[in-house]
């Protein structure tokens, strides 16, 4: 309950320009109402002047037409005033739009400045150069592979890629036991026996 009664109502921000536009529109509407009343009155006076002429009252009809002429001039002035008010309203409304556009440009300009502070032109050029180098390097690799592999090789590579993707490739198992050491040559014991046989003979010849 406290939150409901304590909640503040949102108040719309009315500027001086908004008040001026409202006042100008109210004055314009009043002038239009005045025009309608004058036009109705002029129609009645025109009909009355015709009736006076029929009745032979020319002087009264002439006086009434002079009054009508004066009111016609007032209508022309009223129309000019309405045009001026409408023009001023349009100028104020357009000025408000221009202010909003300028505020938007200012906010956008501030955001661009902050972005430029984070990343300088040199940094952008470096990134663009690195990206171009990577694209060129990848293109060279693609050209080399495209020129060295036959259609059969391409099919085999695609089949192997699909098998790896599906998990069907089985790698060879590595044996757990150690590899046997290389056996000694069979000729070494025979050579040893021959040397032992020849040893007494060499000793007898020396004696």
């Amino acid at each position: 309950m406290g939150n409901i009664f304590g909640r503040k109502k949102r108040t719309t921000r009315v500027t001086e320009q908004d008040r001026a536009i409202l006042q100008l529109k109210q004055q314009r509407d009043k002038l239009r109402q005045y025009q309608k009343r004058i036009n109705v009155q002029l129609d009645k006076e025109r009909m009355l002047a015709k009736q006076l002429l029929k009745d032979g009252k020319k002087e009264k009809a002439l006086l009434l037409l002079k009054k009508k002429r004066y009111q016609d001039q007032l209508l022309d002035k009223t129309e000019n005033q309405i045009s001026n008010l409408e023009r001023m309203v349009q100028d104020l409304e357009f000025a408000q739009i221009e202010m909003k556009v300028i505020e938007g440009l200012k906010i956008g300009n501030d955001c661009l400045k902050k972005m430029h502070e984070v990343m300088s032109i040199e940094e952008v050029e470096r990134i663009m150069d690195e990206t171009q180098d990577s694209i060129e390097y990848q293109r060279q690799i693609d050209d080399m592979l495209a020129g060295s592999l036959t259609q059969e090789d391409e099919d085999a590579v695609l089949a192997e890629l699909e098998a790896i993707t599906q998990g069907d490739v089985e790698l060879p198992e590595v044996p757990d036991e150690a590899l046997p050491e290389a056996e000694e040559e069979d000729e070494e014991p025979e050579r040893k026996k021959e040397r032992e046989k020849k040893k007494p003979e060499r000793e007898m010849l020396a004696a």
Side-chain angles (χ1 to χ4, degrees), residues 22-36:
L22 179 60
Q23 291 177 359
L24 290 172
K25 288 182 177 180
Q26 289 175 347
Q27 293 175 4
R28 177 200 61 191
D29 295 339
K30 289 180 180 180
L31 288 174
R32 285 178 176 173
Q33 292 175 0
Y34 173 76
Q35 275 185 326
K36 290 180 180 179

Side-chain angles (χ1 to χ4, degrees), residues 65-105:
L65 290 176
K66 288 180 180 180
K67 181 182 177 182
K68 177 180 174 299
R69 179 62 179 172
Y70 175 73
Q71 290 176 340
D72 286 336
Q73 293 176 355
L74 289 178
L75 281 179
D76 293 337
K77 292 180 180 180
T78 303
E79 185 65 30
N80 292 331
Q81 291 177 355
I82 291 175
S83 299
N84 293 332
L85 289 174
E86 289 180 345
R87 189 180 301 109
M88 188 172 294
V89 169
Q90 293 176 356
D91 292 340
L92 285 173
E93 290 177 343
F94 186 73
Q96 285 183 323
I97 295 174
E98 285 183 331
M99 288 179 62
K100 292 181 180 179
V101 171
I102 293 173
E103 290 176 359
L105 291 174

Side-chain angles (χ1 to χ4, degrees), residues 36-52 64-65 68 71:
K36 290 180 180 179
R37 290 197 304 268
I38 295 298
N39 285 323
V40 172
Q41 186 177 354
L42 289 175
D43 291 337
K44 291 181 179 180
E45 290 178 352
R46 188 180 299 107
M47 297 297 296
L48 182 58
K50 289 181 179 180
Q51 185 64 37
L52 289 172
L64 191 61
L65 290 176
K68 177 180 174 299
Q71 290 176 340

Side-chain angles (χ1 to χ4, degrees), residues 8-167:
K8 294 182 179 180
K9 295 182 179 179
R10 292 184 178 180
T11 57
T12 57
R13 182 172 176 268
V14 180
T15 63
E16 294 295 332
Q17 291 82 5
D18 294 331
R19 294 191 183 93
I21 291 173
L22 179 60
Q23 291 177 359
L24 290 172
K25 288 182 177 180
Q26 289 175 347
Q27 293 175 4
R28 177 200 61 191
D29 295 339
K30 289 180 180 180
L31 288 174
R32 285 178 176 173
Q33 292 175 0
Y34 173 76
Q35 275 185 326
K36 290 180 180 179
R37 290 197 304 268
I38 295 298
N39 285 323
V40 172
Q41 186 177 354
L42 289 175
D43 291 337
K44 291 181 179 180
E45 290 178 352
R46 188 180 299 107
M47 297 297 296
L48 182 58
K50 289 181 179 180
Q51 185 64 37
L52 289 172
L53 288 173
K54 288 180 181 180
D55 296 339
K57 300 178 179 178
K58 186 177 179 181
E59 292 182 359
K60 288 185 177 181
L62 184 60
L63 182 61
L64 191 61
L65 290 176
K66 288 180 180 180
K67 181 182 177 182
K68 177 180 174 299
R69 179 62 179 172
Y70 175 73
Q71 290 176 340
D72 286 336
Q73 293 176 355
L74 289 178
L75 281 179
D76 293 337
K77 292 180 180 180
T78 303
E79 185 65 30
N80 292 331
Q81 291 177 355
I82 291 175
S83 299
N84 293 332
L85 289 174
E86 289 180 345
R87 189 180 301 109
M88 188 172 294
V89 169
Q90 293 176 356
D91 292 340
L92 285 173
E93 290 177 343
F94 186 73
Q96 285 183 323
I97 295 174
E98 285 183 331
M99 288 179 62
K100 292 181 180 179
V101 171
I102 293 173
E103 290 176 359
L105 291 174
K106 183 177 181 299
I107 294 173
N109 190 26
D110 293 338
C111 292
L112 285 175
K113 287 182 179 179
K114 292 179 180 179
M115 293 175 65
H116 292 162
E117 290 176 357
V118 174
M119 183 172 293
S120 62
I121 297 177
E122 291 77 8
E123 184 70 13
V124 174
E125 291 178 350
R126 185 186 63 81
I127 294 174
M128 294 298 292
D129 292 339
E130 291 180 356
T131 303
Q132 186 64 32
D133 293 340
S134 300
I135 294 174
E136 183 66 21
Y137 181 72
Q138 184 64 39
R139 187 186 64 79
Q140 293 177 1
I141 293 176
D142 294 339
D143 292 342
M144 292 174 61
L145 292 176
S148 60
L149 297 180
T150 62
Q151 186 61 40
E152 183 179 356
D153 295 331
E154 293 284 349
D155 296 339
V157 170
L158 292 176
E160 184 177 0
L161 177 62
E162 184 177 359
I164 293 174
T165 304
Q166 296 177 357

